Amino acid sequence: MYEKIIDRINKRKFVLIAEIGVNYYDIGKKLDISDIEAAKLMIDKAKDAGVHAVKFQTYKADTLAVKNSPAYWNLQEEATASQYELFKKFDSFNESDYKELYDYCEHVGIEFLSTPFDINSVDYLDEILSVFKISSSDLNNYPLITYIAKKNKSIILSTGASNKEEIDKAISWIRKYNNKQIILMHCVLEYPTQYKNANLNKIISLRKEYPDMIIGYSDHTKPDKTYEIIKTAYNLGAIVIEKHFTIDKKLIGNDHYHSMDDSDAKKIIQSIEFIDKIRGNYELDCLNAEYSARLNARRSIVSDGNILCGEIITKNMLTFKRPGTGIPVDSYEDIIGRQAAQDIPKDTIIHEYMLK
């Protein structure tokens, strides 16, 4: 049984969400398979890569945008100039389709998520979701926020294209009806997001302003070769990373041009695991791995000349040299005035048994 992402989040464990969105339509067309088969294929690829959850988008163009709604994406990457026209291409799935995808996710062992864009979607997704996602575009859609909040589940709230006042209002609106975990996602509402506009320091600001909430990052940049954008976001405190997902980054249009594929996802997870390994813990203590070096690199109290049995130890009889296997240097004042219990040759590490 897979670990639910809200459980991972509550343990402050890294979560990678592969946003399949509606990319499966193009994959199905390319491979000449049904849309549902394409969606399941992408779920398989995400699961095999180690992704923790897959996320879809649940909407109907007729309830999402007016006919002449202008595009807000790069038209050189996605040539469709109307939001309505684009969304209409990818809105054929209904309740039964999402339930089938949920069942398939449960079968293969990966969490199913979907962002609802209307009340009807919220109602039927409520039966299969453990966490709701609210899009940046609906950050001020208080009727929808209210309806989702009343379902009394944890909420992932994307903050793209918003200011602090708007974020505060959205949170307060959720808190009127819901005390469950809120995960605030930094994101930039630019498709694709230019690297110079990633503005990852906003993650630090979100952590400072909302210390009782989990902070994440929804990434719309094109994958860089070494995943520095995502690694930096994680190092700045984004525990949850969401990124669009495809199995063919060469496909034209929609979200393929700024998506990760399964190979990227696998390398991202490996990178984060390596970061976690090198981060270690927060204890101000000597590591087990340091113990041998500590013992040999520190200094002991050493005789600076021959010391005869019965002599009283004075400061000028002593020096301090490696290794640190004898009486440590920080105890040298405690042995001044003590008597030698035996002859101690010059350049000898002094131990307790040599002294009275």
Side-chain angles (χ1 to χ4, degrees):
M1 181 64 182
Y2 63 90
E3 187 175 18
K4 292 283 188 179
I5 65 165
I6 193 61
D7 294 328
R8 291 184 64 87
I9 289 167
N10 288 333
K11 295 173 186 175
R12 304 303 192 266
K13 294 167 70 174
F14 173 67
V15 169
L16 180 62
I17 299 172
E19 180 163 1
I20 293 174
V22 292
N23 277 344
Y24 53 88
Y25 286 98
D26 296 323
I27 298 298
K29 186 180 297 184
K30 177 194 173 186
L31 298 179
D32 195 24
I33 58 178
S34 71
D35 296 333
I36 200 79
E37 288 176 313
K40 289 178 179 178
L41 174 62
M42 295 181 75
I43 290 169
D44 288 338
K45 294 288 188 180
K47 168 63 180 177
D48 290 344
V51 169
H52 305 108
V54 292
K55 190 173 78 68
F56 294 84
Q57 294 175 3
T58 305
Y59 60 76
K60 291 296 180 184
D62 289 329
T63 63
L64 184 57
V66 297
K67 298 291 194 301
N68 62 349
S69 50
Y72 55 89
W73 46 80
N74 186 332
L75 291 174
Q76 292 181 333
E77 302 281 5
E78 167 54 65
T80 309
S82 158
Q83 291 184 56
Y84 178 85
E85 184 183 346
L86 181 68
F87 298 148
K88 195 64 178 175
K89 294 178 184 178
F90 308 118
D91 74 346
S92 66
F93 273 19
N94 293 303
E95 178 178 356
S96 60
D97 299 297
Y98 292 111
K99 180 63 167 61
E100 184 175 344
L101 291 179
Y102 165 79
D103 289 339
Y104 189 76
C105 286
E106 290 295 292
H107 172 71
V108 301
I110 190 171
E111 187 158 1
F112 171 90
L113 301 173
S114 190
T115 304
F117 287 86
D118 55 63
I119 298 299
N120 184 50
S121 300
V122 173
D123 278 338
Y124 66 72
L125 288 173
D126 183 42
E127 298 179 13
I128 56 179
L129 294 182
S130 62
V131 179
F132 272 106
K133 168 71 188 293
I134 297 175
S135 165
S136 291
S137 59
D138 283 319
L139 187 107
N140 67 341
N141 184 349
Y142 300 137
L144 183 62
I145 289 176
T146 298
Y147 202 77
I148 291 174
K150 286 182 176 180
K151 298 299 184 181
N152 201 33
K153 292 181 177 177
S154 297
I155 290 174
I156 301 173
L157 178 64
S158 209
T159 64
S162 64
N163 56 44
K164 186 176 184 302
E165 180 182 2
E166 291 170 325
I167 297 170
D168 287 342
K169 285 183 178 180
I171 291 171
S172 65
W173 211 267
I174 292 170
R175 286 295 181 232
K176 288 181 181 181
Y177 312 100
N178 185 316
N179 287 314
K180 295 296 180 65
Q181 184 69 262
I182 295 176
I183 300 95
L184 290 179
M185 304 290 283
H186 164 51
C187 89
V188 178
L189 210 60
E190 178 188 30
Y191 298 87
T193 301
Q194 298 180 65
Y195 296 139
K196 65 180 182 179
N197 293 337
N199 197 30
L200 295 180
N201 279 336
K202 190 174 178 181
I203 294 167
I204 298 174
S205 299
L206 288 170
R207 291 179 65 195
K208 179 182 177 182
E209 294 295 335
Y210 308 99
D212 58 334
M213 296 183 189
I214 300 296
I215 306 304
Y217 173 54
S218 184
D219 182 45
H220 298 139
T221 64
K222 292 184 177 182
D224 58 287
K225 290 182 180 179
T226 52
Y227 314 105
E228 296 303 323
I229 298 287
I230 288 177
K231 289 190 292 185
T232 299
Y234 181 68
N235 278 325
L236 291 175
I239 295 174
V240 181
I241 300 291
E242 174 187 81
K243 187 161 183 64
H244 283 268
F245 183 76
T246 185
I247 57 174
D248 187 351
K249 293 191 288 186
K250 294 180 181 178
L251 284 174
I252 303 299
N254 201 31
D255 290 318
H256 302 282
Y257 58 90
H258 59 89
S259 292
M260 64 178 176
D261 61 15
D262 49 311
S263 175
D264 294 323
K266 187 178 294 185
K267 290 172 184 174
I268 287 167
I269 291 169
Q270 290 171 347
S271 296
I272 299 301
E273 288 174 348
F274 180 71
I275 288 171
D276 283 339
K277 183 185 295 186
I278 63 176
R279 278 183 174 183
N281 60 53
Y282 295 93
E283 300 299 323
L284 297 176
D285 206 352
C286 174
L287 297 174
N288 290 335
E290 297 176 296
Y291 185 75
S292 176
R294 168 190 166 111
L295 195 64
N296 288 294
R298 290 198 174 186
R299 303 189 190 212
S300 299
I301 299 171
V302 175
S303 56
D304 200 26
N306 293 322
I307 302 174
L308 300 177
C309 180
E311 278 194 279
I312 302 299
I313 304 296
T314 61
K315 184 176 180 180
N316 61 6
M317 294 179 178
L318 306 174
T319 189
F320 316 112
K321 295 183 181 181
R322 298 179 181 185
T325 53
I327 298 174
V329 177
D330 56 16
S331 297
Y332 89 96
E333 289 186 346
D334 297 333
I335 71 168
I336 300 300
R338 292 177 66 182
Q339 194 174 24
Q342 63 181 61
D343 289 342
I344 304 174
K346 181 180 180 179
D347 205 38
T348 298
I349 293 173
I350 296 178
H351 296 271
E352 271 295 327
Y353 69 83
M354 299 176 179
L355 305 172
K356 294 182 180 178

